[in-house]
Amino acid sequence: MDRSPLLVDLALQGGGAHGAFTWGVLDRLLEETWLQIDGISGTSAGAMNAAVLADGYAAGGAEGARQALDRYWRAVADAARFSPFQRGPLDRLLGKWTLDSSPLFVGMDLMSRLFSPYDLNPGNFNPLKGILEEHIDFERLMGSPIRLFITATNVRTGRGRVFRNAELSADVLLASACLPTLFQAIEIDGEAYWDGGYSGNPTMTPLVRELSSDDTILIPINPVERPGTPKTAAEIMNRLNEVSFNAVLLKELRMIALMRKVADPGDTEGAEWAKMRIHMVPNRLMGTLGYSSKLNAEWDFLSMLKDEGRKAGQDFLDSFGDRLGMESTVDLDVLLQGV
């Protein structure tokens, strides 16, 4: 697609290993020279993708960002070879990506309902910390032309805190991805933090208030809608997580839809919300994957997710690319129904 440069920002959801789908989408979007990334809001795996991309971009432009993402996800897969969370024989036999029949995963899931990470992981070991420190230059990230907004949830207040480039560290990224049933809270500036998905997955407000772009491309990981009623304990917990991790994002999107209808031209902040154009990359794959596969970091699985992400990115460009910079391609008015 040959067209004039367009400034856009990205909103990246979290979802563990499912973040490799986002990697694929980003890999495809970075090939488009007319798309200029102004800033990225990311949570959990979305925060990892955002930081790696922005650092790689600072080092070598769009191609540097693509290479940095590739190195990061390969390192994640390499580390996963030693993980106790591996697919069970039945899952492998049936070609499933879940860990549902993995004895260690099932045991961990049961233990997490009786014991906390402070009991089971007193040293708070997280293999991602070393990977982040090795693959991100946080000093260089401070000067990246791409502005970052990384969300973590303050355990004491329950409110989200948004960290910007100059505040980022491996601990901040780990805090944004800290599931409280798996890891101890991450302490930053004397405050404890959990996964940012509880307070913004991702946070849209700084994209509206602090960036010049009027186009936001949202790359979702957690399905907003899932057909059928969950019946098993695993299905119920999975759907509860999806609903809670989407709640704040939907609230902010609903605000944009409302502001379009009622914003006073003299209300500067209201006008900023009203003019934001929202786009969403289609993601039909996640509705077929269960919660346990978020912990599956096998290279074959990550590669499949990347390939699907690239296809989704291409579908997005084919369907909506010519409307970017002109109008929203997401019908936000649907969010106002029943309000």
Side-chain angles (χ1 to χ4, degrees):
M1 185 177 296
D2 184 16
R3 55 178 290 182
S4 301
L6 176 68
L7 203 61
V8 300
D9 48 65
L10 305 176
L12 311 182
Q13 279 200 322
H18 293 181
F21 173 89
T22 301
W23 166 31
V25 176
L26 296 173
D27 189 69
R28 179 62 189 90
L29 295 182
L30 285 164
E31 293 177 339
E32 298 295 320
T33 57
W34 61 277
L35 287 176
Q36 303 293 313
I37 302 174
D38 191 13
I40 307 176
S41 178
T43 297
S44 194
M48 314 295 180
N49 277 320
V52 171
L53 184 155
D55 178 49
Y57 195 94
E63 186 57 32
R66 294 180 66 208
Q67 293 175 8
L69 285 165
D70 185 81
R71 289 192 298 267
Y72 168 76
W73 283 101
R74 285 182 182 275
V76 169
D78 286 343
R81 288 183 299 177
F82 306 103
S83 169
F85 301 127
Q86 304 287 339
R87 282 187 296 164
L90 182 60
D91 289 325
R92 293 180 185 275
L93 181 65
L94 297 177
K96 295 182 177 180
W97 295 111
T98 67
L99 304 178
D100 292 347
S101 66
S102 165
L104 280 171
F105 172 78
V106 174
M108 180 278 297
D109 190 46
L110 291 173
M111 291 287 284
S112 69
R113 302 170 196 273
L114 300 173
F115 302 97
S116 83
Y118 296 85
D119 302 314
L120 301 175
N121 186 9
N124 204 24
F125 172 73
N126 189 330
L128 268 182
K129 183 167 185 176
I131 295 174
L132 293 170
E133 292 174 339
E134 179 181 354
H135 289 272
I136 299 176
D137 184 332
F138 288 98
E139 288 190 11
R140 181 170 59 205
L141 191 58
M142 293 174 61
S144 175
I146 298 176
R147 298 175 63 186
L148 297 182
F149 307 95
I150 305 302
T151 303
T153 303
N154 185 302
V155 178
R156 179 177 60 85
T157 67
R159 295 193 294 267
R161 175 178 171 182
V162 178
F163 296 85
R164 292 157 176 81
N165 294 56
E167 303 170 292
L168 295 183
S169 66
D171 279 343
V172 168
L173 297 178
L174 292 177
S176 182
C178 179
L179 290 173
T181 57
L182 294 180
F183 299 103
Q184 297 179 26
I186 304 297
E187 187 170 308
I188 301 169
D189 300 332
E191 293 279 5
Y193 289 90
W194 282 340
D195 195 299
Y198 298 111
S199 55
N201 191 22
T203 301
M204 302 289 286
T205 301
L207 300 180
V208 175
R209 290 180 174 176
E210 301 182 34
L211 298 181
S212 300
S213 169
D214 291 330
D215 286 80
T216 295
I217 300 175
L218 172 63
I219 305 178
I221 292 294
N222 299 290
V224 173
E225 296 185 5
R226 186 182 284 272
T229 302
K231 301 292 179 62
T232 68
E235 289 173 345
I236 292 170
M237 288 303 299
N238 181 50
R239 189 56 185 152
L240 278 173
N241 284 328
E242 289 174 346
V243 171
S244 62
F245 276 18
N246 280 326
V248 179
L249 171 63
L250 291 175
K251 181 179 180 180
E252 290 186 300
L253 292 177
R254 192 175 293 116
M255 180 181 293
I256 293 174
L258 184 61
M259 285 299 180
R260 285 183 182 167
K261 292 182 176 296
V262 304
D264 186 331
D267 178 2
T268 303
E269 183 170 355
E272 288 179 348
W273 283 91
K275 70 180 181 179
M276 180 60 74
R277 295 181 288 266
I278 303 297
H279 316 277
M280 187 179 299
V281 175
N283 186 348
R284 290 172 284 275
L285 176 65
M286 294 308 156
T288 68
L289 297 175
Y291 166 77
S292 66
S293 63
K294 292 181 178 181
L295 297 177
N296 180 0
E298 294 176 48
W299 178 245
D300 287 347
F301 183 48
L302 300 182
S303 297
M304 183 277 289
L305 289 172
K306 181 195 178 185
D307 291 343
E308 291 299 319
R310 279 191 58 87
K311 292 176 185 177
Q314 184 63 57
D315 289 345
F316 171 75
L317 292 169
D318 290 343
S319 300
F320 307 119
D322 59 348
R323 294 165 63 186
L324 293 179
M326 300 179 65
E327 61 182 354
S328 284
T329 56
V330 173
D331 184 8
L332 295 180
D333 290 340
V334 171
L335 298 176
L336 297 178
Q337 296 178 6
V339 175

